[in-house]
Amino acid sequence: MHTEPQASPASSTSQDSPASPAAQESPGSLIGTQYEVEVGPVAHGGHCVARTDEGRVLFVRHALPGERVLARVTEGGEDSRYLRADAVEILDAAKDRVEAPCPYAGPGRCGGCDWQHAKPGAQRRFKGEVIAEQLRRLAGLTPEEAGWDGTVMPAPGDKLPAGEVPAWRSRVQYAVDESGRAGLRKHRSHDVEPVDHVAENDGGVHRVHGRDFVRERADGRTYRVGMGGFWQVHPQAPQLLVEAVMQGLLPRKGETALDLYCGVGLFAGAIADRVGDNGAVLGIESGRRAVEDARHNLREFPRVRIEQGKVDQILPRTGITEADLIVLDPPRAGAGRRTVAHLASLGARRIAYVACDPAALARDLAYFQEAGYRPRTLRAFDLFPMTHHVECVAILEPAAKGS
Ligand SMILES: C[S@@+](CC[C@H](N)C(=O)[O-])C[C@H]1O[C@@H](n2cnc3c(N)ncnc32)[C@H](O)[C@@H]1O
């Protein structure tokens, strides 16, 4: 249960904390203003909703639902629809609060994690609440209607004793500040939070024909991934997602399949193994280098084809009019109405939608419903602990089948 946020304006920080340059430049800016507020529910994006006494909506980072905090505005002004703020003092802490295990976490510091200050179980609960909210608001679906049990599962090995933190980032991109110090970007900023220790592990980089690659394993296969190409960051993610997709699709010998937004061919490889020599898989991927890697990774399958280009442009040009199975794993923006309508017209018996943004997933599920597909199951995985990100796998089937 959440309490309706109540708020009372607290002191302005104009004396005890100088307003940012943006505040000085833009008239009406409220940056630096502090409000004492009661914190409401979690909203998509790694923050909680609160309301000031005057009814202004605040999206507050570093807070937890039910807490009473002093929130300092970081973005927005008198005319803004809402303000962004950081909880700079916790007046009444929630039971889910823990001390952030990372020394670089906290208001105004590294922006890489959103929930360092929450117990791992609470982090997963928050992510589940966000998924449920997006499904309800954008797709008109209850968890039951989406075939989801409402849980967000940790990756194998990530359920650790209290106080231990999963080391899940297999790759980190460091930024360098003006004085040459390596660090991590602050939240919604190009500023750098310097870090003392920067990992130097090259992660097993190989150089082939002037290009750098890493080799990754999933589903019993080795995948070559060029530097800058996409591979899931959590080391357990590729295997976990392949299993979820294959359990949902249950590919049969001789079937035809599409792997859209296929990267270096993770799902295409797993399906090709299962549909056998009489089956066929078409992958589509926009990254030229990723396409080269996918073709290399899947070269043993004569009936796997990888096309390079944007899905919405390439798919209509392929001339494909039917497919038994479809996997789509789009970037955060999702697939969109036109692509969803095209996919639904191919008559697949099952579609696996792998989604890194529950809002885009929910919107696209609404398009799929319009086009005659309904979710059969939905599973959610915490593949980005400490952040607000969450991965979902929805399996869809023609609505007529279940009705
Ligand atoms: C979330 S990744 C998924 C990759 C792959 N399925 C995997 O799990 O390793 C999305 C991929 O889509 C590609 N991409 C982004 N926009 C695209 C588009 N409009 N059409 C085709 N591919 C696109 C990206 O380059 C990236 O490789």
Side-chain angles (χ1 to χ4, degrees), residues 332-347:
R332 295 189 63 73
R337 185 191 287 270
R338 204 151 55 107
T339 296
V340 166
H342 193 137
L343 296 181
S345 75
L346 302 179

Side-chain angles (χ1 to χ4, degrees), residues 18-38:
S20 73
Q24 288 154 12
E25 279 161 23
S26 65
S29 169
L30 290 172
I31 295 174
T33 307
Q34 293 190 170
Y35 297 94
E36 188 182 320
V37 290
E38 190 153 333

Side-chain angles (χ1 to χ4, degrees), residues 216-268:
E216 304 282 1
R217 295 272 305 164
D219 197 40
R221 309 185 57 76
T222 300
Y223 289 84
R224 169 182 111 173
V225 188
M227 299 309 277
F230 182 90
W231 189 255
Q232 290 282 347
V233 177
H234 194 300
Q236 304 295 329
Q239 184 64 34
L240 192 67
L241 294 175
V242 165
E243 282 172 14
V245 167
M246 295 306 124
Q247 284 163 10
L249 294 182
L250 297 173
R252 301 170 191 153
K253 294 281 178 216
E255 285 192 316
T256 58
L258 295 177
D259 179 7
L260 306 178
Y261 314 90
C262 69
V264 302
L266 175 66
F267 299 118

